[in-house]
Amino acid sequence: MSLTDKHAWLRSIKSHIVVFDAALSLIIFLILAVGIVTLYSAGIDFPGRVEDQLRNILVAFVIMWVAANVPPQTLMRFAVPIYTVGVALLIAVALFGIVKKGSRRWINFGVVIQPSEIMKIAMPLMLAWYFQKREGMITWRDYLVAAILLALPVGLIIRQPDLGTGTLVLAAGFYVIFLAGLSWRVLVGLAVAVAASLPVLWSVLHDYQRQRVMMLIDPTSDPLGKGFHIIQSTIAVGSGGVFGKGWLKGTQAHLEFIPERTTDFIFAVFSEEFGLIGNGVLLFLYMLLIGRGMMIAVNAPTMFTRLLAGSITLIFFTYAFVNMGMVSGILPVVGVPLPFMSYGGTALVTLGLGAGILMSIQRHRKLIQT
């Protein structure tokens, strides 16, 4: 092998190993580091949580690396098959799914999986593919078709019932439709229609979902029952003050008043121990994450990549906003994890996949331009 061939071979190897976007990787690493520190404190009574999360992070980074190596053109080719398989699995869950705690969300193929998680990425992929195919000739009929494509999986997920995941999938699809150029007049009309249909929507909610809304309005009506989560989490957030009580010194967490403190309510633990200043730093990191994602979306070379990058970035925003909102008592409790901080493998892998797709879009934009 000649020296020129060796250099070409080394450049090829380097191009497949060093694919992580430096800015995005650094931001995610910092949030993960904050998450591990907080999880150590929150899970001190749950041996093995930190070790498990480190393994989850490793798996998520492998998924991120793989996704970052997949060209956007390949993602386009798989958009329809992934969406079709995802919807088929949701139908299979409705017919043959496993019931746990009153919800039918899982199916067993030798390995138990939750198909609704697939739709968090499959939905924006499908709609971005659809609008790419219609670029330059999009009409109101295309938005109607996109709405139908969105409503089918969202309806199946909410029926399970899983309002949290259904909300995230709905948001992921809506962001693509909005970024594709949906008129503000249509948005105002939709908002009015939703407001007018609230009595009907209320009637079809499950009892536990109605109770969550009622607890948002007045959690003190059932302080030891349905309102316990919100009351204790807001106490923890407020008790942190400006500077916090200090790492490992959060009383609400270590006296076990905060429920699900390693997963959905890890932000309450963080707020109590690191206070307003810590919250400000964490919010700044999430702002950097969203800002970097939007930069990638703005600079993306095709409509497909712009819509996909924008939607994934806004999904990150939705995760953070909904989680912090429910922990702070301004949104109902819907079981949405805090991105890159909450304990759990499935959500972390989904987020890692989304980040990898963003890196792929950024990387292949550079390759196209050069």
Side-chain angles (χ1 to χ4, degrees):
M1 181 182 292
S2 67
L3 186 60
T4 303
D5 291 337
K6 286 182 179 180
H7 286 165
W9 180 76
L10 288 173
R11 284 196 301 269
S12 176
I13 294 295
K14 183 180 179 181
S15 69
H16 284 84
I17 294 177
V18 188
V19 297
F20 291 131
D21 179 76
L24 189 59
S25 299
L26 177 60
I27 297 165
I28 292 174
F29 173 79
L30 291 174
I31 298 175
L32 286 170
V34 173
I36 288 295
V37 169
T38 308
L39 180 63
Y40 181 87
S41 178
I44 201 164
D45 297 321
F46 301 96
R49 283 289 170 96
V50 173
E51 291 81 0
D52 288 344
Q53 185 71 344
L54 289 173
R55 284 192 290 270
N56 293 336
I57 291 172
L58 179 61
V59 172
F61 265 93
V62 171
I63 297 295
M64 189 187 302
W65 178 81
V66 172
N69 273 293
V70 177
Q73 295 86 347
T74 302
L75 291 174
M76 274 194 67
R77 288 197 293 269
F78 283 99
V80 176
I82 292 173
Y83 173 84
T84 304
V85 169
V87 172
L89 288 174
L90 289 176
I91 294 173
V93 167
L95 297 175
F96 316 110
I98 300 170
V99 178
K100 295 180 182 179
K101 298 181 179 180
S103 297
R104 190 186 299 272
R105 304 177 185 176
W106 301 267
I107 192 166
N108 192 343
F109 289 111
V111 177
V112 177
I113 62 173
Q114 186 176 352
S116 57
E117 288 292 327
I118 298 173
M119 299 310 300
K120 291 178 182 178
I121 298 297
M123 193 71 256
L125 268 175
M126 178 64 190
L127 293 182
W129 170 87
Y130 178 77
F131 283 114
Q132 172 70 47
K133 294 297 182 182
R134 302 293 297 168
E135 185 179 11
M137 50 183 178
I138 298 173
T139 67
W140 67 269
R141 293 182 180 86
D142 296 306
Y143 293 114
L144 180 59
V145 171
I148 294 171
L149 291 172
L150 175 59
L152 177 58
V154 169
L156 290 169
I157 294 169
I158 291 177
R159 184 181 178 275
Q160 293 178 352
D162 188 353
L163 186 59
T165 303
T167 300
L168 291 174
V169 174
L170 176 64
F174 172 77
Y175 291 141
V176 176
I177 296 173
F178 171 71
L179 294 172
L182 187 64
S183 168
W184 282 102
R185 288 181 295 178
V186 175
L187 290 176
V188 172
L190 288 173
V192 172
V194 170
S197 63
L198 284 178
V200 177
L201 294 175
W202 180 262
S203 67
V204 300
L205 289 177
H206 293 269
D207 288 339
Y208 81 94
Q209 292 169 340
R210 295 179 190 172
Q211 290 169 351
R212 286 180 177 179
V213 175
M214 295 306 297
M215 288 305 104
L216 173 66
I217 297 172
D218 183 17
T220 59
S221 62
D222 188 9
L224 299 179
K226 303 298 182 181
F228 185 80
H229 287 60
I230 296 178
I231 292 173
Q232 297 304 322
S233 66
T234 52
I235 289 174
V237 171
S239 66
V242 176
F243 300 102
K245 295 179 178 179
W247 187 48
L248 303 176
K249 297 180 181 179
T251 53
Q252 289 292 112
H254 295 295
L255 293 177
E256 301 186 3
F257 284 106
I258 302 176
E260 308 294 339
R261 58 187 180 274
T262 62
T263 53
D264 295 345
F265 285 83
I266 195 169
F267 180 64
V269 179
F270 178 84
S271 297
E272 184 179 28
E273 297 190 351
F274 297 98
L276 181 62
I277 293 177
N279 285 345
V281 172
L282 184 60
L283 285 172
F284 179 68
L285 289 175
Y286 280 123
M287 288 173 62
L288 290 178
L289 175 65
I290 295 162
R292 181 56 184 164
M294 293 308 294
M295 284 183 63
I296 292 173
V298 168
N299 294 319
T302 66
M303 187 174 192
F304 172 78
T305 52
R306 286 195 299 272
L307 294 179
L308 184 58
S311 176
I312 289 173
T313 301
L314 291 173
I315 290 171
F316 291 163
F317 164 78
T318 303
Y319 265 91
F321 177 77
V322 172
N323 180 275
M324 292 179 179
M326 73 179 190
V327 170
S328 304
I330 63 174
L331 291 175
V333 177
V334 291
V336 173
L338 188 60
F340 300 110
M341 282 193 63
S342 292
Y343 171 81
T346 303
L348 196 55
V349 166
T350 302
L351 291 165
L353 176 59
I357 292 174
L358 286 177
M359 293 178 186
S360 170
I361 293 170
Q362 174 67 5
R363 179 193 181 211
H364 290 91
R365 177 191 67 85
K366 292 180 179 179
L367 292 178
I368 290 172
Q369 289 181 347
T370 56

